[in-house]
Amino acid sequence: MKSITVDILLAVLAGLKGGLSFRQIQKQCGASKSTVGRISERLAQVGLSAQDALELDDDSRQALFYPPKARAIVEPDWDRVHSRCKQKSITLLLMYEDYQQRAEGLGSIYTYSSFCRRYSEWKRDNGIASLSGNVDRKPGEKMEVDFAGDKLLWVDCNGQIHTAKLFVASLPYSCLMFAEAFEDEKQQSWLDGIVDALQYFGGSPEVLVMDNAKALIKKTDWTEGIPQQAIDSLCLYYKMQPWACKPATPKEKNRVEAAVADAERRIIAVMSLDSYPLANTLEELNSLVLQKVNEINERPFRLYGSNGSRRTRFEADERHHLQALPSMPYERSEWKILTVDKAHCVRIHSDGGHRYSVPAKYTHKKVCVRLCRDRLEIYDNDNNQLITEHNRYYNINGIKTHLKPEHLTEQEKHYRRSKQDWITAYANRGIPRKLAEQFIETLWSKSEFSGARVCGAVFKLLKQYTPRELTQAIDKALEIGEIRYHNVKAWCEKFAFAHRTNIEIAFETLDPQYMTAAHENVRNDYE
């Protein structure tokens, strides 16, 4: 029955009480005859007269003619839902799936959003409220660190796809964040990420908040975890207190969890929209990540009543609360005892097999190697004296043997001479510098490898012949355009014989009229 106002309903009941017809009641109160008929039928169904209905209060009278419709949706057992949600690993989504199974075939069911809303209403109606406290964050007090779960991709020069994990750090007060990609989540990656984050922020906080990763925490505890020695050393260097969250309690570092969510949406997801990875090295990937981090930090706040950005809040309220950084960044290191190979080099297998030179006297001896992030130091295993220092390399392809000039033996120096070294060596043995430059430039113009070999072979002729004889031989070889080793040696023999016998060599002159016949069957270009 169509709903009508209370005044019209009272007028219809009064008309029925007075014995008026349906048409008369319609003209008197404006209700349709069908509405008057349904009201009369309803009175007959419940066994009441119009007078009885008029004596009821408004709510009872409204419920009499317009009873509430029976709910067609199956109502969940909210007590059971609430008790089960207190158990470990039980979520509201799992309880909704359980509700779907139990209500199957009994009627309509709530959607998940309506299920959550009705559960909240049930808790409110039953006085069950989950209150959250207000956290007062101090500027410069904490820095929270974590790794994102999603991965980034980059492709090397050979087309091989690599994955990288994203390290994230956040300052809870200003929400300023930092991110950097690493190949793994090992302790070295955590340490490098923390150091780079502090350099990015320009200062160190009082407390370093982290989770219970094995690379960071030696032993977990509900009250206070025991950090690894490397983390203790880093925190001592930057005057920070290491603090680990309680086991399975990520809410204690909720700001970095929010920063990880931002990084996954604004960095990983955005970079994955491209059809192929944009970086060819991990360094290129980190330059792109840093651009995205700066965009996030410069992005204006969207919360109502908040002005500025993470960067402006940090610069205005937090930067001056951070502790000053030491003059040199913390340098993590790893010690290894290695044996020098027969080529007086040590090999670092963990870095892709790169080899670093030491003086030849340490061949087959054990040395102590200190592996830092960007360099390595090699010490004498007997007296702990520093032997040498190298830049550290990580590339999988390319040059992997790194030699210092002062470590080369005389034999190595000989076959590793540069063009200028050969010119100087010839000049020092009495060959005119100008002639030596012309000879060596001509050799190296064809091939650096073959040129160096011929230079060495010709230089050895000075053991058999005088500088004067070699000078004449090189000059003649350049004149006729035959600067091969055997030609130079043959000319040296001729000039040496002439000098011993005091005979002047008569060189034949070409007949200018002699020319190679020009026809189609000439096999080579002799001009």
Side-chain angles (χ1 to χ4, degrees), residues 3 14 61 66 129 176 203 221 301 308 345 362 390 408 429 502:
S3 177
R61 189 185 307 112
Y66 302 102
L176 191 72
D221 190 86
F301 288 126
C345 291
Y362 290 97
H390 287 270
L408 299 177
R429 293 296 300 271
N502 293 324

Side-chain angles (χ1 to χ4, degrees), residues 313-500:
R313 178 180 290 182
F314 170 76
E315 296 293 344
D317 301 333
E318 189 164 23
R319 177 182 284 276
H320 58 278
H321 287 283
L322 296 176
Q323 304 176 90
L325 295 176
S327 57
M328 295 293 292
Y330 177 82
E331 191 172 39
R332 50 96 175 166
S333 61
E334 179 184 1
W335 288 90
K336 291 186 177 182
I337 297 179
L338 302 175
T339 302
V340 180
D341 61 22
K342 62 182 180 181
H344 59 93
C345 291
V346 293
R347 185 186 298 273
I348 310 299
H349 293 280
S350 59
D351 294 348
H354 284 265
R355 300 169 65 244
Y356 303 90
S357 67
V358 296
K361 66 179 182 179
Y362 290 97
T363 303
H364 301 308
K365 292 184 178 180
K366 291 186 180 296
V367 293
C368 294
V369 182
R370 180 177 180 241
L371 300 173
C372 303
R373 182 178 184 180
D374 300 318
R375 61 189 177 88
L376 60 87
E377 300 170 352
I378 304 176
Y379 292 85
D380 191 310
N381 193 41
D382 296 329
N383 54 24
N384 296 328
Q385 294 295 320
L386 178 65
I387 299 174
T388 188
E389 184 177 336
H390 287 270
N391 291 329
R392 190 177 180 183
Y393 299 91
Y394 299 90
N395 55 288
I396 303 300
N397 303 307
I399 297 175
K400 291 192 176 183
T401 299
H402 311 283
L403 303 174
K404 282 192 170 184
E406 59 267 26
H407 297 161
L408 299 177
T409 62
E410 291 300 325
Q411 185 179 4
E412 289 174 325
K413 290 179 181 178
H414 177 72
Y415 65 76
R416 289 178 179 271
R417 284 175 176 169
S418 65
K419 187 191 303 182
Q420 292 301 323
D421 291 339
W422 279 117
I423 293 173
T424 302
Y426 273 81
N428 292 339
R429 293 296 300 271
I431 309 300
R433 177 172 285 273
K434 187 174 182 180
L435 180 66
E437 289 180 357
Q438 183 182 359
F439 173 64
I440 293 172
E441 288 287 351
T442 305
L443 286 174
W444 287 53
S445 63
K446 297 181 179 180
S447 170
E448 181 178 344
F449 175 73
S450 62
R453 291 189 63 182
V454 175
C455 282
V458 172
F459 190 78
K460 288 182 179 180
L461 293 176
L462 288 171
K463 295 180 180 180
Q464 305 176 32
Y465 306 102
T466 64
R468 175 187 174 189
E469 294 164 354
L470 184 58
T471 300
Q472 291 175 324
I474 292 174
D475 185 47
K476 194 62 180 178
L478 288 171
E479 181 183 344
I480 64 176
E482 294 289 343
I483 55 173
R484 298 172 184 168
Y485 166 73
H486 294 290
N487 293 333
V488 175
K489 184 178 181 181
W491 282 111
C492 284
E493 292 176 354
K494 291 180 181 181
F495 285 115
F497 177 77
H499 293 158
R500 289 196 304 269

Side-chain angles (χ1 to χ4, degrees), residues 80-134:
R80 179 175 179 274
V81 171
H82 183 67
S83 61
R84 288 297 182 90
C85 282
K86 294 179 181 181
Q87 299 178 11
K88 182 180 179 181
S89 303
I90 300 297
T91 64
L92 207 56
L93 179 59
L94 292 176
M95 294 309 302
Y96 175 71
E97 293 172 354
D98 177 74
Y99 158 68
Q100 285 180 308
Q101 295 177 359
R102 290 174 175 271
E104 185 176 0
L106 300 179
S108 301
I109 61 173
Y110 288 114
T111 62
Y112 178 64
S113 58
S114 298
F115 180 84
C116 296
R117 187 186 68 253
R118 289 284 298 140
Y119 179 56
S120 299
E121 293 173 354
W122 178 86
K123 289 196 298 182
R124 185 178 60 250
D125 294 342
N126 288 271
I128 303 173
S130 55
L131 301 178
S132 58
N134 297 312

